[in-house]
Amino acid sequence: MTMNIETALISEEQPVREAIKQLNENRLQILVVVNEEQVLAGTVTDGDIRRAILRDLSLEHPVREIMNKNPVFVRTGEENRAYNLMLKKRIKAVPVVDEGKRVTGLLLLEDFLGPKKEKEAKKKSNFVVIMAGGKGCRLDPFTKILPKPLIPIGDRPIIEIIMKNFQRCGFNNFLLTLNYKAEMIKIYFSENPEGFNIYYTEEEKFLGTAGSLSLAKDKLHETFLVSNCDVIMEMDFEKLLNHHRHAGNHCTVVGVVKHMQIPYGVLETENGALVRLREKPEYDLVINSGIYALEPEVIGLIPENRPFDMPELLLAARAAGYKVGVYPVSSNWFDVGQWEEYQRTLEYFKRVDEL
């Protein structure tokens, strides 16, 4: 592997938050954990981080508390064993170590198969519903001319990037809910070179981020995924579907781990008296990504012909006794519905294209 191994190494004493940041930057889906002598101590993947978040572990805890302490590895000179090990263990990367178990490299499955020869994701019958009917007011004045789904990121519109990410995971049946400038979106997909299976529903009036699902109930007969049309997520959507089913959820919300700093001093008071002043405090939060897995029966909770948003649906489902779960991820996530994030997204994809 010709990659810089340093991008995959992390000290066992580094906080989990740093592991999340490093995973997003190196795009390898794995970190190799080492001690002070650079000796292999374990590995960390997004799955390890997800399990830590689900048990409410602080992201300040050291990586050694969440790592896999018995990782698969090969020794220098035995690299030819790595391919069979990866197939047997169903993993995509194997560290290489010397006689003293110091890490010298990292072999990836694509080193053996080639990046374009990896097994194609199994096609799934499940629908992906993309909420593409909003006005996109936060991107004004662009959206006075183009509907938000057609705003470009590089040489592709937002909606096509979202659909390609799902398609890579085997999802190719899309239901687009339309309203604002609906005909422009239909015209764009009239040629459809990517081979998406596309269906449409059109609102007569704006029905919110969940209301339009009631218009599609005749097509949604099995578990389906929902995505806002202004969020781009780099994640394995098949794993989301599997988690949703394994957990027995009726609704699963994809939560994104975000480290946020309040840019002001925060006052803590009691009976009008100052108790504590925290200057620009920092928090680790799991926020709603705008991506969901849902069962068809929850559509019956949506009132017809009036605005109804996804948070309302989730609360209504919980109140009705349905199981509502969270699937936390540490993946790159972009909310391109606001200017600052849109610019950040442009810069990110420009860097990726240059790699």
Side-chain angles (χ1 to χ4, degrees):
M1 178 66 186
T2 58
M3 54 158 280
N4 179 5
I5 184 61
E6 295 299 321
T7 66
L9 296 182
I10 188 168
S11 165
E12 60 184 348
E13 299 302 326
Q14 284 287 337
V16 174
R17 179 189 299 117
E18 181 60 31
I20 292 173
K21 178 182 177 183
Q22 200 168 327
L23 275 170
N24 284 336
E25 289 176 350
N26 73 18
R27 299 169 63 87
L28 295 174
Q29 302 179 14
I30 189 173
L31 295 178
V32 180
V33 186
V34 294
N35 63 17
E36 293 180 355
E37 287 75 38
Q38 299 298 293
V39 171
L40 177 66
T43 56
V44 169
T45 65
D46 61 340
D48 297 313
I49 291 173
R50 181 176 307 111
R51 287 184 285 274
I53 295 168
L54 288 172
R55 67 176 197 263
D56 296 322
L57 186 78
S58 168
L59 300 188
E60 292 299 327
H61 282 240
V63 165
R64 56 181 162 76
E65 294 188 19
I66 72 164
M67 69 183 183
N68 171 15
K69 297 179 181 179
N70 297 294
V72 176
F73 64 90
V74 296
R75 296 190 183 277
T76 303
E78 299 178 347
E79 288 87 349
N80 59 332
R81 294 180 54 237
Y83 177 64
N84 288 332
L85 279 173
M86 284 187 268
L87 293 182
K88 181 179 179 180
K89 300 291 185 179
R90 297 184 179 181
I91 55 179
K92 294 185 178 181
V94 171
V96 181
V97 301
D98 63 16
E99 292 183 358
K101 211 177 176 182
R102 289 180 293 271
V103 178
T104 61
L106 180 68
L107 293 172
L108 305 180
L109 186 60
E110 67 181 42
D111 294 336
F112 298 92
L113 301 180
K116 295 183 179 180
K117 296 181 181 179
E118 289 196 68
K119 185 178 179 181
E120 185 179 354
K122 183 179 179 181
K123 294 292 187 292
K124 298 163 185 66
S125 59
N126 311 78
F127 269 98
V128 177
V129 181
I130 299 181
M131 300 298 186
K135 288 186 175 181
C137 297
R138 294 182 299 170
L139 287 179
D140 186 70
F142 269 19
T143 48
K144 279 186 168 57
I145 302 168
L146 287 174
K148 179 172 60 177
L150 296 186
I151 298 294
I153 302 288
D155 59 356
R156 290 178 184 265
I158 294 169
I159 191 169
E160 189 171 341
I161 293 173
I162 293 171
M163 293 166 74
K164 283 293 293 181
N165 285 342
F166 280 102
Q167 189 183 56
R168 290 188 190 100
C169 297
F171 297 91
N172 200 48
N173 296 323
F174 296 95
L175 195 155
L176 310 186
T177 68
L178 307 179
N179 187 320
Y180 181 68
K181 297 186 182 292
E183 289 305 314
M184 292 185 71
I185 296 173
K186 289 182 178 181
I187 290 171
Y188 178 81
F189 284 112
S190 60
E191 294 185 6
N192 191 18
E194 299 294 345
F196 302 127
N197 297 326
I198 303 177
Y199 304 82
Y200 300 100
T201 63
E202 289 192 52
E203 305 169 330
E204 293 183 1
K205 61 181 181 179
F206 292 105
L207 296 177
T209 55
S212 58
L213 291 176
S214 64
L215 304 178
K217 56 188 176 183
D218 60 324
K219 291 185 175 64
L220 303 174
H221 303 299
E222 62 178 327
T223 307
F224 61 97
L225 305 185
V226 178
S227 175
N228 290 349
C229 200
D230 51 12
V231 295
I232 296 175
M233 171 78 82
E234 294 184 338
M235 64 173 286
D236 188 332
F237 294 104
E238 183 177 20
K239 287 184 178 179
L240 165 63
L241 182 63
N242 292 339
H243 172 88
H244 172 83
R245 289 170 169 168
H246 181 74
N249 291 342
H250 295 90
C251 307
T252 300
V253 187
V254 176
V256 181
V257 180
K258 296 286 283 185
H259 180 70
M260 306 187 75
Q261 182 180 59
I262 306 299
Y264 311 103
V266 175
L267 305 177
E268 297 181 12
T269 63
E270 185 175 320
N271 297 323
L274 178 65
V275 175
R276 186 181 181 191
L277 194 158
R278 302 185 62 192
E279 187 63 30
K280 298 181 179 179
E282 299 181 28
Y283 300 95
D284 292 306
L285 305 172
V286 179
I287 65 172
N288 184 355
S289 70
I291 298 173
Y292 314 86
L294 302 176
E295 293 300 314
E297 50 263 44
V298 303
I299 298 176
L301 300 172
I302 301 174
E304 294 187 4
N305 205 34
R306 79 167 177 84
F308 199 69
D309 288 327
M310 193 61 73
E312 293 179 274
L313 176 59
L314 298 175
L315 294 176
R318 193 175 66 172
Y322 291 122
K323 187 175 180 182
V324 180
V326 176
Y327 183 76
V329 297
S330 54
S331 311
N332 281 313
W333 174 81
F334 304 93
D335 174 9
V336 292
Q338 51 185 325
W339 274 114
E340 183 177 339
E341 278 294 295
Y342 175 73
Q343 295 295 332
R344 189 173 76 89
T345 306
L346 288 176
E347 290 299 318
Y348 174 80
F349 280 96
K350 181 179 179 181
R351 292 196 303 271
V352 169
D353 289 341
E354 290 173 352
L355 293 178

